Amino acid sequence: TYLDLEGSIRNDSDLITKYRDMSLHAEVDSAVEEVINEAITKEEEVIVKLQLEGTDLSDSLKKKIQTAFDEVLKLLKFKDQGYDIFRRWYIDGRLFYQILIDPANPTNGISDLRYIDPRKMKKIRQVVRKQSRGSEVGGMSADLMKTTNEYFVYNEKGFNSKGSVSQNATSGTRIANDAIVYVTSGLTDTSGTTVLSYLHPAPNT
């Protein structure tokens, strides 16, 4: 059986909540634990590494990328929290982190990466519709969509559709596009618009 996207699921927040509820079932939890234990092995000295062999990058550039990669793992405390990070990503289908920089010393780079519940974060794209001239599209006019601004909105109450939770999809604190990093499962629905979790095909009991 599969999740009913057309029924009780109205937005990403509802979908993530449903995935988390599913993960509480004993059979699903056992399967998730097996997957994570295979992916994250703390017994090994290096849990995850960057593979740059076979690229055309210079040795000096490879070294800089490796140094930056190691710094990111350090900021994420991946050696200690890698298991929990992978579990959140596997169940929710996405991870959001806010990039923090010391305003007094911005040249020092990233000082911290702060996890944000994906149910409280939404990406907003402002677009304008412009009708093209016929000569631009083989003699036929068409509506062209151009993105004029992108940013994230954080809402402490989340963007769930229930009760006291905010109904306004854009209400909350604006955060600059380059202040948030995120990664998804890479899975989407047939329309390509809704990000799915690896739990999506799991029994909905």
Side-chain angles (χ1 to χ4, degrees):
T1 59
Y2 294 82
L3 288 179
D4 178 18
L5 288 175
E6 303 300 327
S8 61
I9 305 301
R10 296 188 179 91
N11 54 38
D12 288 347
S13 180
D14 290 343
L15 194 58
I16 294 169
T17 299
K18 189 66 175 178
Y19 289 143
R20 293 183 182 181
D21 289 341
M22 290 167 61
S23 70
L24 298 177
H25 293 290
E27 296 83 357
V28 176
D29 179 66
S30 178
V32 170
E33 289 293 317
E34 186 173 344
V35 170
I36 299 175
N37 287 330
E38 288 293 327
I40 305 296
T41 306
K42 291 188 176 182
E43 285 73 18
E44 296 186 15
E45 187 173 341
V46 179
I47 299 176
V48 60
K49 62 181 179 180
L50 189 62
Q51 180 59 263
L52 296 175
E53 298 301 325
T55 67
D56 296 328
L57 302 176
S58 64
D59 291 340
S60 61
L61 185 53
K62 287 181 181 178
K63 186 175 180 180
K64 291 179 180 179
I65 293 175
Q66 185 63 57
T67 299
F69 182 75
D70 293 340
E71 179 62 20
V72 170
L73 292 181
K74 181 180 177 181
L75 290 169
L76 290 172
K77 301 178 180 64
F78 200 83
K79 190 172 182 63
D80 297 321
Q81 299 183 17
Y83 184 94
D84 295 327
I85 292 172
F86 188 87
R87 182 181 176 86
R88 281 198 293 259
W89 171 80
Y90 192 83
I91 293 174
D92 292 352
R94 68 215 81 193
L95 284 175
F96 284 85
Y97 283 91
Q98 182 180 9
I99 301 172
L100 299 179
I101 297 177
D102 183 359
N105 299 288
T107 56
N108 290 341
I110 300 173
S111 61
D112 193 15
L113 291 171
R114 183 171 298 169
Y115 169 75
I116 300 177
D117 189 325
R119 295 178 300 180
K120 300 179 180 181
M121 183 67 66
K122 183 181 289 291
K123 186 168 187 176
I124 303 298
R125 288 187 178 90
Q126 293 180 336
V127 298
V128 293
R129 188 185 299 272
K130 177 183 177 183
Q131 191 171 41
S132 66
R133 290 175 295 181
S135 59
E136 295 178 358
V137 284
M140 299 178 62
S141 62
D143 285 341
L144 301 178
M145 305 296 290
K146 180 180 179 181
T147 300
T148 59
N149 191 21
E150 289 186 347
Y151 57 90
F152 288 89
V153 172
Y154 173 79
N155 191 316
E156 179 62 33
K157 294 182 179 179
F159 295 96
N160 198 300
S161 59
K162 298 178 181 178
S164 62
V165 184
S166 174
Q167 301 287 331
N168 191 338
T170 60
S171 65
T173 303
R174 284 194 182 190
I175 302 177
N177 199 36
D178 57 2
I180 299 293
V181 291
Y182 68 99
V183 60
T184 69
S185 65
L187 303 176
T188 62
D189 61 0
T190 54
S191 67
T193 57
T194 301
V195 175
L196 305 179
S197 161
Y198 281 98
L199 290 190
H200 197 76
N204 181 16
T205 57

